[in-house]
Amino acid sequence: TDEIMQQEIRPLVAVDIIEQLHRQFAILSGGRGKDGAPIITFPEFAGFSDIPDEDFLNVVTYLTSIPSLEAASIGFIIIIDRRRDKWSAVKASLTRIAGAFPGNLQLVFVLRPSRFIQRTIADIGIKLYRDDFKMKVPIIMLNSVSDLHAYIDKSQLTRELGGTLEYGHSQWIHHRTAIENFAMTVKTTAQMLQSFGTDLAETELPNDVQCTEELLSAHTDHHGKLKDELKLAVKQGATLLTCIREPVTRSANSKLSPDELENVATVERLLAQLDETEKAFDQFWTKHHLKLEQCLQLRHFEHDFREVKLALDNLMEGQAGFADIGDSVTRVEHLLREQKHLEEKGQEPLEKAQSLALHGEQLIQNNHYAVDSIRPKCVELRRICDDFTNETKKKYDILGKSLELHKQLDKASQWCEAGIYLLASQAVDKCQSQEGAETALVEIEKFLVTAKEHQLSNPKEFYNQFDMILTPEIKANAQRILRKLEDVQEMFDKRQVSLKKLAAKQTRPVQPVAPHPESSPKRASPKITRPAGVGSPGAFLNRERNPKASPLTKPVFSPRNICISAENRCHIINELIETERVYVEELQSIIQGYASEMDNPSLVHLIPATLQNKKDILFGNLLEIYEFHNRQIFLKEIENCIENPELLARCFLKRKEDLQIYEKYCQNKPRSEALWRQCGDSIFFQECQRKLDHKLSLDAYLLKPVQRITKYQLLLKEMLKCSKNSEGTAELEEALATMLDIIKSVNDSMHQIAITGYEGDVSELGKLLMQGSFNVWTDHKKGHNKVKDLARFKPMQRHLFLYTKMLLFCKKREENTDGHEKTASYSFKNSLKMSTVGITENVKGDNKKFEIWYNGREEVYIIQASSVELKNTWISEIRKVLTGQLEACR
C-alpha cells in the first residue's frame, strides 16, 4: 500500500502551488495529439516574462507529472498562444520553455503575433534564433488557429483555440486538489490501520479477567473508530468519483477527456486499494478479536476452575477426614447420616465441576488456542468428581457392611442372652418328669430354630465377608461374641442330651417312688454330675471365668506359652531392627564409598573405560532404596514397634507400594553383574574397598538388597508362628502375603526380561500375572485335515507368560556366560490375544491338563501342568482375566 501511495502522490501537489495554478499561465486542458501525446497550453498572459523561475518550474513540473507514464513517454505537445503579443514575448516564452521544461517534448506550436509587423519580425526572428532555443524538436510557427487544426483535432482543443473541448480551470484545480486530498486520506488511513495492527500483534495477553475485558473493550472501541474513518474515506472517494463523472451524467453526448478518464482511474484505484486494505485489516482483526475473546473465555474458565477446585479440595479433605466406621449400630447410623449430609453438600460443587468440564470440552471443540491448558483441567475436574463419587460409594459400602456387621453382632449377642435366660428359666425339678422334659425340649427346639437367623454360624465365612472393615477392636469384639455363641450352643447341646435322657427314662413302666436323694435339686450328689448348663444365668458367666468348667473353653495357650510367645516376638523385632540398622549403614557406605567416588575428579583416571557413564547400570536404583530405608522413614517406623510388636505388620502393609522398588533393582541385576565381571578387578574398586576397610568386595554388598527382601518374609513367618490367635494375626498374614507377592513379582520380572525374539513392546502387554514351564500339544485345524491322535506326538516344552492382554509361548534356553553359571533365556515362539481365547478347564484322561483355544477352536493348545494345584492356579488366573474382559465389555 505504501508503494502504491508513493506512486500516486507526487513530490508537488496542487495545494502547494495553488496560487501559481490560479494565474493560468500554463494549463493541462486534457486534450491529446493524434498519437495520444498530452497537450500543454501556454495561453496569452501579459506578464509571462515576469513570472518567477521557481513558480514557472513548479507549475510546469506539476503539469507534466499528471498524465500517465505511458502518455508522458510519447512526449508533450506545447501550444504557445501569442497572437496578441510581440515577437519579444514569443522569444521569451520559447527561451524559458527550452531551458526549464522538465518533460519529454514532441512538438512546439507557436501561434505568432497577428499584427503584420510583429508577424514579420517573428518570421525573421525564428529563423535567426532557432538554434539559440536549444530545442531538439520542431518549432512550428502558425498564423491562425485554423492552421493548428491541421495538426490537432478540434475535439482536443479548447474553445480559445477554436476547438470543442470543455475545460474549466477552476474546476480542474478543484478536482486535482480533491484527488490529491483523497490519496493522502487513503495513505493516512492505511498507515493508521497498519499502526493499529502492529499494536495488536505486539499486545501481550493479560492473565486475569478484568484486564482482559478492559483490553478487549479498548481494542474494540479503537477498531470501531478506524472503521468509521474507513467509511468516511470511502464516502469521500465515491463523492469525488461522482463529481468527475458529472459531465457524462448530465449529458449523454458528453465524453470525458483522457486526463479526466485518468482521474477516474486514479480514484477507482485508490478506492480499490482502500477496499483491499480494509479487507486485510478485517481479516487480521477477526483473528485478533477471536483470540481476545478466547483469552477472556480462558481467563473466566481458569477463574472458575480455581474456585471449583478449591471447593472440591475442601470436599475431598472433608471426605478424607471421614474415616470412622463406627463401633455400634447407633454410631454407624449416625455416620451414615453424616455421610449423606456430606454427599448432599457436595452436589453443588460436583455439578459445577461437571458443567465447567463440559464447558472446557466445548472450548476445545471450538478450536480454542489454549487446548493444552484447558484439557488437563477438564481431566482433573472429572477425576476429582469420579474420586469423590467412588470414595462416597466406597464409604457407603463400608458403612453398610459395618452396619450389617454390628446388627449381626447385636442379634447374635441378644440371641445368646435370650438363650442363657431360657436355660436359666427352665426349673430343674420340672424337667424330671417326661412331660416336663418334653416341654423343655420343645422350648429349646423352638428357640434353636432361630439360630440360623441370628447366629454367626461360620466364623471363617464371617471374617471373609467383613474383612475390609475388621479393625482390631471390631475383630476382638466379634471373636468374643463368637466364643459366646459357641458356649451357648454347647450349653443347649448338653441340655438337650440331658432332657432327652430324662424323657426316654420316663417311657418305661415304673412304680412311683419317692425321689432319690441324688435327684433332689436341693441335695446334689458329688458322685453324679448335673446336666451341663442347667442352673442360673450365672452359670455361663462363671464358666467364662473358670476355664475348667468346660473342655471347649480351655485356652489354646497357657500363661507360660503366652509369655514365651511374647518373648519370641521381642527377639524377632530386635533382630529385625538390628539387621535393618546394619543394612542401612551398609547401603550408605556403598553409596558414599563407591557410587559417589565415581564422580571424584581425583579418581577419574582409575575408572576403567568400560565403566565410564555406567554408574546407573552398576548400582541400579540403590540410592532410591537407601533413601527409603534410612532412619527417617522405614527404619524409624520399625523402631517404633519395639514396645508394640503387633504394629509390625502395619509397617509392611503401609509401605507395600514403596517396597516395589526392589523389583526395579532386581531387574537391573543381570546387567550390573555383567558389568562387574568386566571391570570388577580394577584398581578403582580396590582403592575404594581399602578406604572403607571392607572385608568383602563390592559385588557381595550389591547382593544385600536381594537378600533383604528374603529376610523380611522369613522374619514375618517367625513372627506369625509366635502370634497365633493373638491380636494382629490377620495383619501379619496379610503382610507376609504382601512380601511373598513382591518376591513372586521380582522373580516373574527376572524371567520376563530374558524374553528374546518378541518384536512388540512387552510393557504394552499389561501386568505379568503368571509364568512357568509346561508340556504343550497343538491341535490346528487346516481345511478338512485335523490331527486327532495327539497322544502319539511328543509334547513341546514351552515356558508360558500370562499377561492381562496376551499369552506368550516361549522356548527356554540355557547358556553359559564366560564360565559362570548358566543363565536362562526365553525364545519367543507364539502369542495369543486374551481377548480372543477360550478355555476348557478339564481334559479327559488327565486331571493335570487344560485347553486354551483360539478362533472358535481353529487352534487348540493342550497344556499339561506339573501338578493339579499348579493347573488350578493357572486356570483361576486365566478365568479372572476373561471375567474381567467380560465385565469391561458389559
Side-chain angles (χ1 to χ4, degrees):
T1 302
D2 286 342
E3 292 176 0
I4 295 171
M5 292 298 101
Q6 289 169 5
Q7 291 173 10
E8 294 298 330
I9 300 176
R10 311 301 176 185
L12 283 173
V13 292
V15 72
D16 295 334
I17 55 173
I18 192 71
E19 292 181 5
Q20 293 90 323
L21 289 174
H22 274 296
R23 296 177 70 180
Q24 201 174 345
F25 58 83
I27 64 171
L28 184 69
S29 62
R32 298 291 173 94
K34 293 178 180 179
D35 56 356
I39 299 173
I40 295 178
T41 304
F42 289 85
E44 292 180 326
F45 190 83
F48 185 83
S49 301
D50 300 328
I51 298 172
D53 290 339
E54 182 181 358
D55 292 350
F56 176 84
L57 182 60
N58 285 341
V59 170
V60 174
T61 301
Y62 178 73
L63 294 179
T64 56
S65 69
I66 293 174
S68 66
L69 294 176
E70 180 181 358
S73 65
I74 299 173
F76 288 86
I77 297 174
I78 292 178
I79 300 175
I80 303 172
D81 186 4
R82 293 293 181 263
R83 288 175 292 176
R84 298 178 184 178
D85 218 327
K86 301 177 181 179
W87 159 247
S88 58
V90 173
K91 181 181 178 182
S93 299
L94 288 172
T95 301
R96 173 167 276 185
I97 292 170
F101 192 85
N104 181 27
L105 282 173
Q106 186 188 93
L107 285 173
V108 176
F109 294 101
V110 179
L111 286 170
R112 66 178 112 194
S114 59
R115 286 177 293 180
F116 177 78
I117 296 175
Q118 293 299 324
R119 181 183 301 176
T120 303
I121 295 173
D123 289 341
I124 297 170
I126 197 67
K127 292 177 182 179
L128 294 175
Y129 297 101
R130 182 182 294 275
D131 294 336
D132 294 344
F133 297 141
K134 298 179 181 180
M135 288 190 180
K136 296 180 181 180
V137 298
I139 301 174
I140 301 172
M141 302 296 289
L142 303 173
N143 294 325
S144 64
V145 292
S146 59
D147 294 341
L148 180 61
H149 297 164
Y151 295 96
I152 300 174
D153 190 84
K154 289 183 178 182
S155 63
Q156 301 301 317
L157 297 173
T158 61
R159 295 184 183 278
E160 288 78 6
L161 297 176
T164 60
L165 181 64
E166 294 289 336
Y167 175 77
H169 191 62
S170 297
Q171 186 183 41
W172 181 88
I173 293 175
H174 174 71
H175 284 177
R176 289 307 308 169
T177 305
I179 290 171
E180 289 164 358
N181 285 339
F182 179 58
M184 183 58 67
T185 300
V186 171
K187 181 177 181 180
T188 303
T189 304
Q191 289 174 342
M192 290 169 59
L193 294 178
Q194 184 178 11
S195 176
F196 183 50
T198 302
D199 291 341
L200 296 184
E202 294 175 354
T203 299
E204 292 185 4
L205 297 178
N207 293 322
D208 60 86
V209 173
Q210 182 178 354
C211 291
T212 306
E213 288 177 341
E214 290 174 356
L215 182 65
L216 179 59
S217 176
H219 283 187
T220 303
D221 291 342
H222 197 170
H223 170 262
K225 292 176 182 177
L226 287 177
K227 289 293 286 185
D228 292 339
E229 294 287 341
L230 276 168
K231 289 178 181 178
L232 288 175
V234 171
K235 185 176 180 181
Q236 179 185 350
T239 303
L240 178 57
L241 202 58
T242 302
C243 291
I244 297 173
R245 289 173 173 168
E246 191 269 338
V248 178
T249 307
R250 187 176 64 248
S251 173
N253 297 326
S254 298
K255 291 183 179 179
L256 296 178
S257 69
D259 284 355
E260 289 175 326
L261 291 174
E262 286 187 359
N263 288 342
V264 169
T266 299
V267 174
E268 287 178 340
R269 187 162 60 251
L270 290 171
L271 284 171
Q273 292 164 9
L274 201 60
D275 183 63
E276 290 174 2
T277 304
E278 183 178 12
K279 287 180 179 178
F281 174 74
D282 285 344
Q283 290 177 356
F284 177 80
W285 167 254
T286 299
K287 293 179 182 178
H288 178 76
H289 187 257
L290 175 62
K291 191 163 187 178
L292 279 180
E293 287 184 332
Q294 288 186 343
C295 178
L296 183 59
Q297 292 171 346
L298 177 63
R299 300 302 173 235
H300 278 297
F301 178 83
E302 291 173 340
H303 177 266
D304 294 342
F305 173 81
R306 287 190 291 270
E307 289 186 348
V308 172
K309 179 71 164 51
L310 180 62
L312 291 177
D313 288 344
N314 292 335
L315 198 62
M316 293 298 290
E317 286 180 7
Q319 192 179 62
F322 198 77
D324 190 5
I325 63 171
D327 54 3
S328 66
V329 173
T330 305
R331 176 61 180 165
V332 175
E333 288 175 345
H334 174 71
L335 292 174
L336 279 169
R337 287 192 297 270
E338 287 187 351
Q339 179 63 40
K340 183 66 176 177
H341 175 70
L342 181 64
E343 183 184 18
E344 292 173 351
K345 179 183 176 183
Q347 287 305 308
E348 183 178 353
L350 287 175
E351 289 174 359
K352 286 183 178 179
Q354 293 289 358
S355 176
L356 187 58
L358 181 61
H359 176 57
E361 292 295 339
Q362 291 173 347
L363 293 179
I364 293 173
Q365 291 174 4
N366 292 334
N367 299 319
H368 197 284
Y369 71 89
V371 171
D372 293 340
S373 174
I374 296 172
R375 181 173 283 119
K377 291 180 174 61
C378 295
V379 172
E380 177 72 0
L381 289 172
R382 290 203 166 99
R383 181 193 65 78
I384 296 176
C385 290
D386 291 342
D387 288 350
F388 180 82
T389 303
N390 294 334
E391 194 64 24
T392 299
K393 184 178 182 301
K394 184 178 177 182
K395 294 285 186 185
Y396 275 123
D397 291 341
I398 291 175
L399 290 175
K401 287 280 187 182
S402 179
L403 184 62
E404 182 182 354
L405 166 68
H406 289 296
K407 283 183 176 179
Q408 288 194 30
L409 291 177
D410 285 356
K411 286 182 179 180
S413 182
Q414 292 169 6
W415 186 86
C416 290
E417 296 299 330
I420 294 171
Y421 179 81
L422 173 64
L423 292 175
S425 63
Q426 289 180 337
V428 177
D429 55 342
K430 292 183 180 179
C431 294
Q432 299 303 312
S433 65
Q434 178 183 5
E435 183 179 357
E438 289 177 349
T439 300
L441 277 172
V442 170
E443 290 176 349
I444 291 174
E445 287 171 358
K446 284 183 179 180
F447 184 80
L448 291 178
V449 170
T450 63
K452 291 182 179 180
E453 181 181 352
H454 299 292
Q455 290 188 59
L456 308 177
S457 56
N458 189 337
K460 185 177 181 180
E461 182 179 339
F462 173 82
Y463 287 134
N464 290 338
Q465 181 182 0
F466 298 106
D467 179 67
M468 61 187 294
I469 60 169
L470 283 179
T471 63
E473 295 78 13
I474 295 176
K475 192 171 183 179
N477 185 40
Q479 289 174 340
R480 180 183 62 79
I481 293 176
L482 284 171
R483 287 196 297 269
K484 190 174 182 180
L485 276 171
E486 292 174 358
D487 292 341
V488 172
Q489 186 65 52
E490 182 185 355
M491 292 165 63
F492 273 111
D493 291 341
K494 290 184 177 181
R495 176 66 63 88
Q496 282 179 309
V497 171
S498 299
L499 290 174
K500 286 178 180 177
K501 288 181 180 180
L502 289 172
K505 289 178 182 179
Q506 299 300 328
T507 57
R508 292 176 299 185
V510 293
Q511 295 295 327
V513 295
H516 242 279
E518 297 89 351
S519 63
S520 172
K522 298 179 182 180
R523 296 170 51 196
S525 171
K527 295 181 181 180
I528 300 176
T529 305
R530 291 177 60 191
V534 178
S536 66
F540 173 77
L541 301 176
N542 289 333
R543 196 171 74 228
E544 281 196 326
R545 290 191 292 268
N546 181 10
K548 296 181 180 179
S550 170
L552 294 177
T553 59
K554 184 177 180 180
V556 177
F557 299 105
S558 66
R560 181 174 179 275
N561 288 338
I562 293 173
C563 292
I564 292 173
S565 298
E567 184 178 354
N568 288 341
R569 286 200 299 271
C570 290
H571 282 310
I572 294 170
I573 289 290
N574 289 331
E575 181 184 356
L576 176 59
I577 292 172
E578 286 301 316
T579 55
E580 184 73 13
R581 289 170 178 166
V582 173
Y583 178 53
V584 171
E585 291 172 359
E586 288 175 338
L587 292 178
Q588 184 179 12
S589 69
I590 295 170
I591 291 167
Q592 294 179 352
Y594 286 98
S596 297
E597 288 299 290
M598 289 183 71
D599 299 325
N600 188 344
S602 63
L603 298 177
V604 170
H605 66 284
L606 299 179
I607 300 176
T610 54
L611 191 59
Q612 293 289 345
N613 300 321
K614 294 182 180 179
K615 182 168 71 173
D616 292 340
I617 295 177
L618 183 62
F619 295 98
N621 61 328
L622 194 69
L623 180 60
E624 184 183 8
I625 293 175
Y626 167 70
E627 290 174 350
F628 167 69
H629 281 276
N630 69 18
R631 299 182 185 276
Q632 300 302 319
I633 305 179
F634 195 60
L635 177 57
K636 185 176 181 180
E637 292 177 355
I638 295 176
E639 289 173 339
N640 292 335
C641 299
I642 293 177
E643 300 297 330
N644 300 295
E646 64 276 3
L647 300 179
L648 177 63
R650 297 185 188 179
C651 294
F652 285 91
L653 293 176
K654 177 183 177 182
R655 296 293 178 182
K656 64 180 180 181
E657 296 296 334
D658 297 321
L659 289 168
Q660 299 294 330
I661 55 178
Y662 280 95
E663 181 176 339
K664 181 179 178 182
Y665 184 83
C666 293
Q667 285 179 348
N668 180 67
K669 201 70 181 69
R671 299 172 65 203
S672 174
E673 290 173 350
L675 184 60
W676 174 259
R677 287 195 291 270
Q678 296 179 40
C679 55
D681 56 352
S682 69
I683 299 175
F684 171 78
F685 291 115
Q686 294 174 11
E687 180 65 15
C688 292
Q689 184 177 350
R690 184 189 63 78
K691 288 182 178 179
L692 292 170
D693 195 24
H694 279 180
K695 304 299 181 184
L696 301 175
S697 59
L698 173 62
D699 59 327
Y701 290 96
L702 291 177
L703 282 173
K704 296 290 184 180
V706 181
Q707 298 166 348
R708 192 61 187 165
I709 55 175
T710 306
K711 181 72 174 178
Y712 288 147
Q713 61 107 0
L714 292 175
L715 290 172
L716 287 171
K717 281 183 180 179
E718 292 300 318
M719 180 66 81
L720 188 60
K721 289 179 182 178
C722 302
S723 305
K724 289 294 184 181
N725 297 326
S726 65
E727 184 178 355
T729 302
E731 288 184 327
L732 275 171
E733 292 174 346
E734 186 178 353
L736 177 59
T738 297
M739 288 308 303
L740 293 174
D741 286 343
I742 291 174
I743 294 173
K744 176 183 178 298
S745 178
V746 168
N747 183 51
D748 289 346
S749 66
M750 295 295 287
H751 286 277
Q752 173 182 274
I753 62 175
I755 297 175
T756 61
Y758 181 70
E759 295 182 356
D761 187 353
V762 177
S763 64
E764 295 178 355
L765 304 182
K767 183 181 179 182
L768 177 60
L769 304 174
M770 302 283 286
Q771 57 83 26
S773 296
F774 297 87
N775 293 329
V776 178
W777 292 265
T778 60
D779 180 7
H780 295 344
K781 187 188 299 180
K782 296 181 180 179
H784 297 290
N785 300 323
K786 181 180 178 183
V787 179
K788 295 181 179 180
D789 187 9
L790 297 174
R792 60 190 177 90
F793 294 103
K794 184 179 179 181
M796 298 178 290
Q797 301 299 314
R798 291 289 182 262
H799 200 90
L800 273 58
F801 292 87
L802 175 63
Y803 295 88
T804 54
K805 296 181 180 179
M806 194 82 78
L807 177 65
L808 300 187
F809 291 80
C810 299
K811 185 174 182 179
K812 185 176 181 181
R813 303 180 188 277
E814 292 185 345
E815 301 174 355
N816 290 323
T817 307
D818 300 333
H820 294 267
E821 66 275 10
K822 291 182 178 181
T823 58
S825 65
Y826 302 96
S827 178
F828 171 74
K829 293 297 181 183
N830 193 17
S831 64
L832 300 176
K833 289 184 179 179
M834 294 305 295
S835 59
T836 57
V837 303
I839 183 172
T840 304
E841 298 184 5
N842 296 303
V843 176
K844 187 176 181 181
D846 193 338
N847 60 359
K848 292 185 289 185
K849 289 181 179 179
F850 62 96
E851 286 182 347
I852 293 180
W853 40 269
Y854 189 62
N855 281 347
R857 298 187 69 84
E858 188 73 23
E859 298 178 16
V860 179
Y861 297 83
I862 300 175
I863 300 171
Q864 184 184 50
S866 58
S867 65
V868 176
E869 291 76 13
L870 180 61
K871 166 198 165 181
N872 292 336
T873 302
W874 273 72
I875 287 175
S876 175
E877 204 63 41
I878 293 173
R879 191 188 300 121
K880 288 179 183 177
V881 174
L882 300 181
T883 303
Q885 292 174 352
L886 181 61
E887 290 297 327
C889 291
R890 288 175 178 171

